[in-house]
């Protein structure tokens, strides 16, 4: 005995005709490389802005007296023997005193006219301050007899790095 077809069902021939009319699913086309998504454009713009700000900052630093002082100190430090800490201290002292004279107005309290403990206190204060040992060495070493600072407590590379940091902080 055959079971009756449910109500609303199509005959078998009609179902096959409808299935033959169906098409396959179409896949989307590949994502193009160009133009990039808005997020990538914003990221590239942000990176460009950061590079522009860094370039302007470097350009402005190169226009300062501190940059000229740094160049002069580097030239003098390169001209000195690698382990001649006294020559580095003498070069640093002359450059730093002239830079302090530019930064501060002339007068009795000017850092350029300070000597001894007052100069050491000035070097130990402010941005990129020296430690007390290095500042005391820097205050006295340029005035010692040649060759007497060879066994000092400060190495030439450490002193040069501290001086460069101090000069850059004045920019």
């Amino acid at each position: 005995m055959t079971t009756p077809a449910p109500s609303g069902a199509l005959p078998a021939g009609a179902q096959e005709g409808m299935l033959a009319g169906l098409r396959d699913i179409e896949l989307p086309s590949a994502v193009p490389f160009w133009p990039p998504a808005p997020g990538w454009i914003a990221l590239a713009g942000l990176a460009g802005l950061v590079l522009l700000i860094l370039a302007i900052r470097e350009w402005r630093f190169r226009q300062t007296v501190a940059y000229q002082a740094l160049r002069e100190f580097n030239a003098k430090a390169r001209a000195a023997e690698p382990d001649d800490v006294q020559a580095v201290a003498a070069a640093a002292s002359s450059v730093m005193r002239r830079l302090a004279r530019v930064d501060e107005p002339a007068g009795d309290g000017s850092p350029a006219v300070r000597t001894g403990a007052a100069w050491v206190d000035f070097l130990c204060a402010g941005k990129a301050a020296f430690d007390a040992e290095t500042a005391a060495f820097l205050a006295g070493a340029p005035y010692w007899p040649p060759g007497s600072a060879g066994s000092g407590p400060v190495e030439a590379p450490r002193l040069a790095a501290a001086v460069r940091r101090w000069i850059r902080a004045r920019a």
Side-chain angles (χ1 to χ4, degrees):
M1 181 160 203
T2 62
T3 57
S7 64
L10 298 173
Q15 288 179 353
E16 289 176 10
M18 290 178 67
L19 288 176
L22 292 178
R23 294 178 302 196
D24 284 339
I25 298 173
E26 291 185 27
L27 296 176
S29 60
V31 177
F33 175 74
W34 197 260
W40 286 111
I41 293 172
L43 185 63
L46 183 64
L49 182 65
V50 167
L51 289 175
L52 179 66
I53 289 171
L54 290 176
I56 289 171
R57 186 173 177 212
E58 181 65 22
W59 176 79
R60 288 189 65 200
F61 171 69
R62 289 177 183 254
Q63 305 304 314
T64 64
V65 175
Y67 178 73
Q68 302 301 324
L70 185 62
R71 285 185 55 195
E72 182 180 345
F73 171 71
N74 285 335
K76 287 181 178 182
R78 275 193 301 273
E81 294 293 323
D83 292 333
D84 190 3
V85 70
Q86 191 170 5
V88 173
S93 180
S94 68
V95 170
M96 291 170 65
R97 284 189 182 276
R98 282 188 285 138
L99 185 59
R101 192 177 313 133
V102 169
D103 286 347
E104 301 285 330
D108 293 336
S110 174
V113 297
R114 292 180 185 162
T115 58
W119 179 243
V120 171
D121 291 341
F122 175 75
L123 293 177
C124 290
K127 289 180 9 180
F130 287 92
D131 59 276
E133 181 182 46
T134 306
F137 179 79
L138 186 59
Y143 307 107
W144 295 338
S148 63
S151 62
V154 180
E155 302 88 31
R158 188 177 117 200
L159 178 64
V163 170
R164 286 184 186 105
R165 190 174 55 248
W166 188 86
I167 291 173
R168 279 198 75 89
R170 300 296 175 278

